[in-house]
Amino acid sequence: MVKTYAEALQFIHGRDRFKKKPTLTRMREFMRLLGDPQDKLEMIHVAGTNGKGSTVAFLRDLFMADGQTVGTFTSPFITRFNERISTNGVPISDADLLATVNQIEPVVAKLDAELGDQGPTEFEIDTALMFCYFAQHPVDLVVVEVGLGGLYDSTNIMTPAISVITTIGLDHMKILGDTIPEIAAQKAGIIKEKVPVVCGRLTPDALAVMDETAQRQNTQVTALGRDFTVQNQPESTWGERFAYEFGTTRWQHLQVDLLGQYQIDNAAAALTAYLTYHALRQLPVSAATVRQGLQHTAWPGRFERLNEQPLIAIDGAHNEPAMVEMARLLRQHFATNDVYIVLAVLADKQYQQMVQTLLAVPNVHLILTQFQGPGKRQAATPLELEDAVANHDRMTVASDWAAGLKQALNTMSAEDLLLLTGSLYFISEVRQYFKGTDV
């Protein structure tokens, strides 16, 4: 028996992260031994390269504005593991997490005894905890974020009411494939028989994979740019404003408090999934509720303001597609400010391209640094990052991110922006520091 919260975390994090051969057979057996708790839940499934977390947050707040109780399953966490399993945005309590760990621990031990080193992985245990917790603490709806890929992700033993695929980009290529269609095929693995699919802004080759998969599964895809549209309606305050059109639904000046064109796309994908769900369940829709839900949405670590004067923000952009969006955001909202970026990236990411993408923004000053990577995963060293481009007069190196932060604060003026980015794990560290510190 696991006796303390610390032991519960040790039990979870002490597992292998991956197995050599991807399979759902072990996860299905795991759930069967637990009584198939996933079959008791009403769910929406969210996959994609980037934008999953924000889309989950928009869905959560849209349904909460309706008066629904909404469970969410997300990864990674920003401050504490408990955030990954939340109800109406409130993380699972330590006591409930401990109780749920003790419920699944004997089943894990049984599978370990049968399968040896092929027992459940860390993420399979996370997923099992979530399914068991919500089966015992019922909510109206659970919004489930895919961990990695889709086809073989441990969440993919469920049958949701709606499947959502946000974006397709080149990331986790060693696991998911080297091309957009290969990666799209992995994400399309969450498409189920007769379950409606909502897609964000996909390239034509990625969308073709979704359409083909949906056809095989007797369902159809509703895609951003083809079946529903958004139009940016810029405004000077923090956040984004946009027009939305889907079928006979047309709304002007929808407001979100998150920055970036990609957040408009994420909000629109979430809104389309919300409307599709309401049509499916024959539920009424209120424009006022939709506006309230979207405007209320906050998502830690996504261009999150930590300080007003000077303006300091963090963003979990952790791959090249996210950096392309980041560069676009900086050009759109901060073209007249100097932007100081403290960048730390995991070594298995495309950091060469990430550095080059940021330096292509003319008012960006880059401070390359590192952080302590999670578990066995290493961060790229400042020298590795520096080697990504030839000598550059807008690029310097700091031994650690605290030194990089100090360097930026000593150089920038009150009108400039300081942004810390490159990894969700990195900004988790930064966020904890700031939440206990005055600048």
Side-chain angles (χ1 to χ4, degrees), residues 80-280:
R80 295 186 87 224
F81 175 86
N82 305 45
E83 296 161 28
R84 299 184 66 169
I85 302 168
S86 296
T87 302
N88 284 0
V90 179
I92 185 174
S93 69
D94 292 359
D96 282 338
L97 181 65
L98 180 58
T100 316
V101 163
N102 275 312
Q103 181 190 346
I104 73 161
E105 191 270 339
V107 176
V108 173
K110 177 177 166 42
L111 288 168
D112 282 348
E114 288 174 10
L115 302 172
D117 62 0
Q118 291 303 304
T121 65
E122 180 178 343
F123 192 73
E124 285 169 347
I125 285 172
D126 297 341
T127 307
L129 288 168
M130 176 269 296
F131 284 143
C132 289
Y133 176 74
F134 287 124
Q136 287 165 2
H137 301 80
V139 291
D140 296 311
L141 182 72
V142 186
V143 186
V144 175
E145 179 186 332
V146 165
L148 176 64
L151 182 62
Y152 294 112
D153 189 76
S154 59
T155 61
N156 203 30
I157 57 158
M158 60 186 256
T159 302
I162 311 275
S163 301
V164 182
I165 295 156
T166 57
T167 60
I168 306 290
L170 296 173
D171 195 20
H172 299 294
M173 289 149 71
K174 284 180 184 167
I175 300 166
L176 301 180
D178 294 328
T179 67
I180 292 292
E182 282 176 337
I183 293 171
Q186 290 289 322
K187 311 284 185 194
I190 72 163
I191 296 174
K192 303 289 193 308
E193 177 90 16
K194 295 181 179 170
V195 173
V197 185
V198 174
C199 288
R201 199 177 293 281
L202 303 187
T203 56
D205 52 351
L207 185 53
V209 173
M210 299 303 153
D211 284 333
E212 286 160 21
T213 310
Q215 199 171 5
R216 285 198 303 273
Q217 296 284 20
N218 297 312
T219 187
Q220 64 182 40
V221 172
T222 306
L224 176 56
R226 181 182 72 187
D227 308 301
F228 63 101
T229 59
V230 290
Q231 187 182 352
N232 196 341
Q233 298 175 316
E235 78 163 11
S236 56
T237 57
W238 185 275
E240 301 287 356
R241 198 173 61 168
F242 64 100
Y244 171 86
E245 191 171 323
F246 173 37
T248 57
T249 303
R250 289 178 176 81
W251 283 314
Q252 294 286 325
H253 308 300
L254 294 174
Q255 189 91 31
V256 296
D257 197 40
L258 299 171
L259 271 189
Q261 171 66 40
Y262 54 95
Q263 296 296 10
I264 294 177
D265 292 353
N266 294 337
L271 178 52
T272 305
Y274 168 88
L275 293 173
T276 304
Y277 180 88
H278 279 62
L280 203 63

Side-chain angles (χ1 to χ4, degrees), residues 11 21 30 55 144 202 250 256 262 277 295-296 310 390 418:
F11 168 75
K21 191 180 171 195
F30 192 3
T55 302
V144 175
L202 303 187
R250 289 178 176 81
V256 296
Y262 54 95
Y277 180 88
Q295 199 160 3
H296 178 260
L418 170 55

Side-chain angles (χ1 to χ4, degrees), residues 26 41 109 115 129 161 182 311 326 332 340 373 375 406 412:
R26 177 178 54 242
L41 306 175
L115 302 172
L129 288 168
E182 282 176 337
L311 181 56
M326 173 65 68
Q332 189 178 339
Y340 290 82
K406 196 172 178 182
M412 63 190 285

Side-chain angles (χ1 to χ4, degrees), residues 47-79:
T49 302
N50 292 319
K52 295 189 294 289
S54 301
T55 302
V56 168
F58 283 123
L59 279 164
R60 175 197 67 201
D61 288 346
L62 282 164
F63 281 98
M64 280 176 64
D66 256 354
Q68 307 272 330
T69 304
V70 186
T72 51
F73 179 59
T74 55
S75 58
F77 59 90
I78 299 294
T79 308

